């Protein structure tokens, strides 16, 4: 397996007490547990969640706003969404995004009252230099069928506008490019518990002309709407607990 981007650059940004070699060992151990076959009958899938995270830099603190939205394929509608607000202590470090985003992603997911059959996460799964993007990290830890859906290519090379994403060193197929939007590609990769073919077919069923499929698109828009509201609230005196309580109060449940 090829090495990731400039390791010296990565080392300069990890928090105190966090060792890059330990993180790599964790990645390799978890990557070995990824299941790339269907653990569910893909034809029976109806409830699919999408999760996205927005960030606010406030003084010396970074705040994460995560949203999980559950979409019903049979009803063609979002039936529920949940959110979480809290501090983020791990910075953005290339190839270690899952260590930063796992906390907000999991917390938003756990607040869903109706658990989905498959989870889409705005990020990569196996299409990662260490085979453990946020979608795979989440899926392995929670043992939930998960798909990585990204707007940009982190690792690999494309074979045409719609087709396989190949490992640059081994030519292994690690993802697939689909054309959800007219001009921008969407990158799909296995997270956990689903085959690449099933992942691609499921994502295509929820494309609506935007780069992101419906569940992630709803979470993205909701997270950014909450971000604007929270930014205004931060102009006064408020706590994370108050912000998170307001977030929970605004959660949408459309189940009859």
């Amino acid at each position: 397996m090829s090495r990731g981007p400039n390791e010296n650059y990565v080392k300069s940004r990890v928090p105190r007490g966090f060792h890059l070699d330990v993180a790599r060992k964790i990645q390799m151990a978890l990557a070995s547990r990824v299941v790339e076959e269907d653990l569910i009958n893909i034809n029976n899938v109806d409830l699919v969640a999408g999760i996205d995270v927005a960030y606010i830099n406030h003084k010396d603190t970074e705040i994460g706003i995560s949203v999980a939205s559950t979409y019903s394929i049979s009803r063609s509608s979002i039936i529920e969404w949940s959110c979480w607000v809290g501090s983020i202590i791990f910075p953005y470090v290339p190839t270690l995004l899952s260590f930063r985003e796992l906390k907000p992603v999991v917390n938003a997911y756990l607040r869903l009252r109706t658990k989905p059959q498959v989870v889409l996460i705005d990020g990569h799964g196996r299409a990662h230099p260490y085979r453990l993007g946020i979608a795979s990290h989440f899926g392995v830890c929670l043992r939930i069928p998960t798909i990585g859906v990204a707007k940009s290519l982190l690792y690999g090379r494309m074979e045409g506008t719609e087709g396989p994403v190949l490992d640059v060193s081994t030519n292994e197929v690690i993802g697939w490019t689909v054309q959800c939007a007219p001009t921008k590609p969407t990158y799909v990769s296995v997270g956990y518990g689903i085959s690449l073919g099933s992942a691609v077919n499921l994502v295509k069923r929820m494309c609506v002309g935007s780069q992101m499929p419906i569940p992630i698109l709803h979470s993205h828009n909701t997270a950014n709407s909450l971000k604007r509201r929270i930014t205004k609230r931060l102009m006064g005196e408020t706590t994370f607990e108050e912000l998170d309580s307001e977030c929970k109060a605004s959660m949408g449940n459309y189940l009859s």
Side-chain angles (χ1 to χ4, degrees):
M1 187 176 295
S2 61
R3 295 177 66 83
N6 190 327
E7 295 288 5
N8 292 327
Y9 173 75
V10 174
K11 286 180 181 177
S12 70
R13 299 192 61 181
V14 295
R16 286 183 180 179
F18 191 92
H19 301 285
L20 183 60
D21 58 340
V22 174
R24 294 297 181 221
K25 288 177 181 177
I26 293 171
Q27 284 182 313
M28 289 186 286
L30 294 179
S32 69
R33 300 178 189 175
V34 173
V35 176
E36 297 188 67
E37 60 185 47
D38 295 331
L39 298 183
I40 54 171
N41 186 336
I42 199 69
N43 296 319
N44 294 335
V45 171
D46 179 45
L47 300 181
V48 182
I51 307 179
D52 195 14
V53 185
Y55 296 94
I56 299 173
N57 288 314
H58 178 65
K59 298 180 180 178
D60 295 328
T61 304
E62 189 170 28
I63 301 168
I65 306 156
S66 54
V67 175
S69 304
T70 300
Y71 176 75
S72 168
I73 295 174
S74 62
R75 303 186 201 184
S76 299
S77 62
I78 297 291
I79 63 168
E80 180 189 3
W81 65 270
S82 63
C83 58
W84 175 87
V85 177
S87 62
I88 303 297
I89 61 172
F90 198 91
Y92 170 72
V93 179
T95 74
L96 292 178
L97 180 65
S98 64
F99 290 88
R100 169 181 169 85
E101 296 206 328
L102 192 63
K103 176 183 174 181
V105 166
V106 169
N107 282 333
Y109 168 81
L110 291 176
R111 285 183 175 173
L112 287 172
R113 293 169 57 186
T114 303
K115 292 300 185 275
Q117 295 156 284
V118 178
V119 175
L120 313 183
I121 297 181
D122 187 353
H124 294 279
R126 296 294 265 177
H128 182 279
Y130 297 93
R131 298 294 187 273
L132 195 85
I134 178 61
S136 293
H137 201 151
F138 174 92
V140 169
C141 290
L142 274 70
R143 297 187 179 182
I144 298 168
T146 311
I147 302 171
V149 187
K151 296 182 286 292
S152 60
L153 188 63
L154 170 68
Y155 178 76
R157 72 172 190 277
M158 297 167 51
E159 290 286 302
T161 57
E162 185 154 352
V165 175
L166 304 178
D167 184 284
V168 296
S169 300
T170 66
N171 284 327
E172 174 190 359
V173 177
I174 57 175
W176 205 266
T177 307
V178 300
Q179 206 69 40
C180 277
T183 58
K184 297 179 180 179
T186 299
Y187 303 96
V188 178
S189 58
V190 171
Y192 175 86
I194 194 165
S195 65
L196 182 57
S198 293
V200 170
N201 289 335
L202 190 59
V203 168
K204 283 183 174 181
R205 292 174 66 186
M206 293 176 286
C207 287
V208 287
S210 171
Q211 201 175 5
M212 289 287 100
I214 295 171
I216 293 181
L217 182 63
H218 183 272
S219 290
H220 173 82
N221 291 339
T222 304
N224 279 283
S225 177
L226 289 170
K227 176 179 177 177
R228 289 190 290 271
R229 287 168 52 187
I230 290 170
T231 299
K232 292 181 180 179
R233 291 281 285 110
L234 288 170
M235 296 173 69
E237 292 297 325
T238 189
T239 65
F240 287 129
E241 289 77 12
E242 290 171 334
L243 292 173
D244 192 43
S245 293
E246 291 179 18
C247 171
K248 289 171 69 176
S250 68
M251 283 163 42
N253 180 9
Y254 311 125
L255 292 175
S256 57

